[in-house]
Amino acid sequence: MSKSKTMVPEAREGLNRFKMEAASEVGVSLKQGYNGDLTSKQAGSIGGQMVKKMIQQYENNLK
């Protein structure tokens, strides 16, 4: 379990689903729990995909 604190604890499950979805979209296989065996490139591609999707959602909400 991560030591970082989620600002809204109830959102943890949703964030984990979002992360798993983003990982799947970029072809990275995540497992529940610890994923310290990922390369920096893999972890970065997941984070980048998450940011891309968040920006896209924000832009869609502006329309």
Side-chain angles (χ1 to χ4, degrees):
M1 187 163 160
S2 175
K3 292 183 180 186
S4 64
K5 294 184 181 180
T6 304
M7 300 221 16
V8 180
E10 299 82 18
R12 182 176 301 276
E13 186 177 324
L15 288 171
N16 283 334
R17 279 194 310 269
F18 182 52
K19 178 171 54 175
M20 294 297 239
E21 181 182 313
S24 175
E25 290 173 1
V26 294
V28 176
S29 179
L30 285 183
K31 53 191 175 282
Q32 292 291 6
Y34 181 71
N35 284 286
D37 54 339
L38 292 179
T39 65
S40 295
K41 182 177 180 178
Q42 289 171 317
S45 66
I46 294 168
Q49 181 68 6
M50 291 174 73
V51 170
K52 180 180 174 183
K53 290 176 67 94
M54 286 185 275
I55 291 170
Q56 185 177 42
Q57 181 64 37
Y58 178 78
E59 288 174 343
N60 288 341
N61 287 338
L62 290 176
K63 295 178 183 177

